[in-house]
Amino acid sequence: AGLTKEQYQKVRAQEEQKKAANYQKNVAKAGKFIDYTDWYMQRGTDLASAWKKSVTLGHNMAKTKYDWSGTADAKKFESTNLSPAKKAAASKKAAPAKKFGGFF
């Protein structure tokens, strides 16, 4: 109707191992973050608005190692999706004609 002393000690030991591993994982993260004050000064927000004219508007851009969409057939960047021949053919296609008219 319950755990034996050995079973209980085994479960507790596994929990302690898991807790210690999680702690070590978090310790390894220490110091890997960007200091806000340094980032703010580097961006130059306090001095000028040059960051406002950049493509990223002062944001730091990053690529991830994985595709987080959750689907195997996720659309990739155009540069990785098309072969050179297909890229040339796609660029030569004419844009579809615009339709003018009402709601009918």
Side-chain angles (χ1 to χ4, degrees):
L3 297 175
T4 65
K5 183 176 181 180
E6 292 79 25
Q7 290 172 329
Y8 177 75
Q9 287 174 341
K10 182 180 176 185
V11 169
R12 292 287 292 169
Q14 288 174 341
E15 289 174 353
E16 288 298 321
Q17 275 183 331
K18 187 176 177 181
K19 185 177 177 182
N22 189 44
Y23 179 80
Q24 289 304 319
K25 181 178 76 171
N26 288 327
V27 166
K29 292 180 188 178
K32 293 188 179 180
F33 298 100
I34 298 170
D35 181 70
Y36 177 75
T37 305
D38 294 340
W39 169 82
Y40 188 82
M41 295 295 286
Q42 179 188 9
R43 185 173 85 163
T45 307
D46 59 330
L47 303 173
S49 296
W51 62 273
K52 190 76 171 154
K53 296 175 186 163
S54 76
V55 175
T56 61
L57 292 175
H59 292 93
N60 291 336
M61 305 304 279
K63 290 184 178 180
T64 60
K65 183 176 180 180
Y66 304 102
D67 171 23
W68 295 102
S69 68
T71 59
D73 62 340
K75 183 175 182 341
K76 294 182 173 38
F77 292 107
E78 287 297 323
S79 60
T80 59
N81 245 1
L82 298 176
S83 69
K86 288 184 181 178
K87 281 183 193 175
S91 66
K92 291 181 182 175
K93 285 185 182 176
K98 293 186 179 183
K99 297 180 182 177
F100 296 99
F103 294 99
F104 41 93

